[in-house]
C-alpha cells in the first residue's frame, strides 16, 4: 500500500468531497422548539441571545449535533461577549476556491495509472469524482438525506410514538407512511425531520 498526500493543482471547477446537501446550514433546537436555522454565525447569535444551556445545534448536512466554540459559553450564560475566534493557520490547497487538501491512499498501480492521465493525478481524480456524481448522484443524495434524518431523529425523537416505524419508512423511502407516522410529533421536530429526510428532492 502506497500513501501519498494529494494536493489539488490548477483547477477549472471546485472539488467538494462528500454529499450534495448544503453543508453550510445549521439548526438549533431548544427542547422540541426550533430556535433558529441558517449559517452557523446566525445560529450561534440566536443561541447567544436565547441565553440557555439546553440548546442543541444540528448540522443539516449530516444531522449530527455540533459543539459551539467553548469560548462562546460566557456569552451564552450572559456574562459578556464572546471573544473572536483566532484565524486558523493557512494550510495546503486553495481554500478560497473551495479546494481542500486531503490524504489519498491508493495502491501503486493506481498511482501509476493516474500519472499517465492527461493533466496528472489531480485532474484525473476530479474527473472520476464528477463522473461518479453524475451516475450515482441521485442514490448518494437519497442515502445522505436518510442518514441525516436518522441521526437527527435518534437524537431528539427516540422516545416519540412511532419512532421505530418512522425509521423503517424513512429507509424504505415511503414518503407518505413517514409523514403519517411523524404527524403527531411536535411541529418543529416533525417539519425538520421531513425536511432532512427528503432533502434530495429540494432541487
Amino acid at each position: 500500500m502506497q500513501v501519498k498526500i494529494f494536493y489539488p493543482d490548477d483547477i477549472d471547477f471546485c472539488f467538494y468531497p462528500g454529499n450534495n446537501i448544503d453543508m453550510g446550514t445549521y439548526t438549533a433546537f431548544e427542547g422540541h422548539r426550533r430556535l433558529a436555522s441558517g449559517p452557523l454565525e446566525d445560529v450561534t447569535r440566536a443561541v447567544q441571545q436565547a441565553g440557555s444551556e439546553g440548546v442543541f445545534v444540528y448540522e443539516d448536512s449530516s444531522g449530527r449535533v455540533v459543539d459551539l466554540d467553548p469560548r462562546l459559553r460566557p456569552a451564552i450564560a450572559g456574562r459578556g461577549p464572546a471573544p473572536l475566534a483566532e484565524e486558523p493557520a493557512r494550510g495546503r490547497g486553495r481554500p478560497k476556491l473551495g479546494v481542500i487538501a486531503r490524504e489519498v491512499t491508493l495502491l501503486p498501480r493506481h498511482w501509476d495509472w493516474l500519472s499517465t492521465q492527461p493533466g496528472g493525478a489531480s485532474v484525473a481524480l476530479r474527473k472520476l469524482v464528477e463522473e461518479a456524481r453524475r451516475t450515482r448522484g441521485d442514490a448518494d443524495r437519497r442515502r445522505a438525506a436518510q442518514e441525516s434524518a436518522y441521526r437527527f431523529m435518534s437524537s431528539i425523537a427516540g422516545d416519540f410514538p412511532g419512532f421505530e416505524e418512522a425509521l423503517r419508512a424513512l429507509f424504505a423511502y415511503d414518503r407518505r407512511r413517514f409523514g403519517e407516522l411523524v404527524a403527531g410529533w411536535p411541529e418543529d421536530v416533525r417539519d425538520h425531520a421531513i425536511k432532512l429526510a427528503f432533502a434530495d428532492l429540494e432541487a
Side-chain angles (χ1 to χ4, degrees), residues 13-16 20 113 122-141:
F13 55 84
C14 293
F15 170 62
Y16 295 99
N20 298 320
W113 180 84
S122 298
V123 172
L125 286 171
R126 286 197 298 272
K127 288 180 178 179
L128 289 172
V129 170
E130 288 301 313
E131 179 62 25
R133 290 178 62 185
R134 281 192 293 269
T135 59
R136 296 169 45 193
D138 290 344
D140 289 344
R141 284 189 291 271

Side-chain angles (χ1 to χ4, degrees), residues 52-133:
S52 173
E53 292 286 352
V55 175
F56 290 90
V57 178
Y58 297 87
E59 182 183 32
D60 291 342
S61 65
S62 68
R64 292 187 174 93
V65 175
V66 298
D67 291 327
L68 296 179
D69 190 324
R71 289 170 290 185
L72 295 175
R73 296 301 181 185
I76 294 175
R79 296 193 294 273
L84 295 176
E86 297 179 0
E87 185 176 349
R90 183 176 179 180
R92 291 292 191 94
R94 299 188 177 186
K96 290 185 179 180
L97 296 178
V99 179
I100 303 172
R102 299 283 179 93
E103 180 179 301
V104 175
T105 304
L106 299 174
L107 294 171
R109 64 176 180 272
H110 300 147
W111 287 112
D112 291 341
W113 180 84
L114 285 171
S115 66
T116 66
Q117 301 306 301
S122 298
V123 172
L125 286 171
R126 286 197 298 272
K127 288 180 178 179
L128 289 172
V129 170
E130 288 301 313
E131 179 62 25
R133 290 178 62 185

Side-chain angles (χ1 to χ4, degrees), residues 172-187:
Y173 209 68
D174 189 337
R175 297 163 57 193
R176 177 174 297 181
R177 179 62 174 161
F178 183 83
E180 292 173 349
L181 290 166
V182 303
W185 292 5
E187 181 178 357

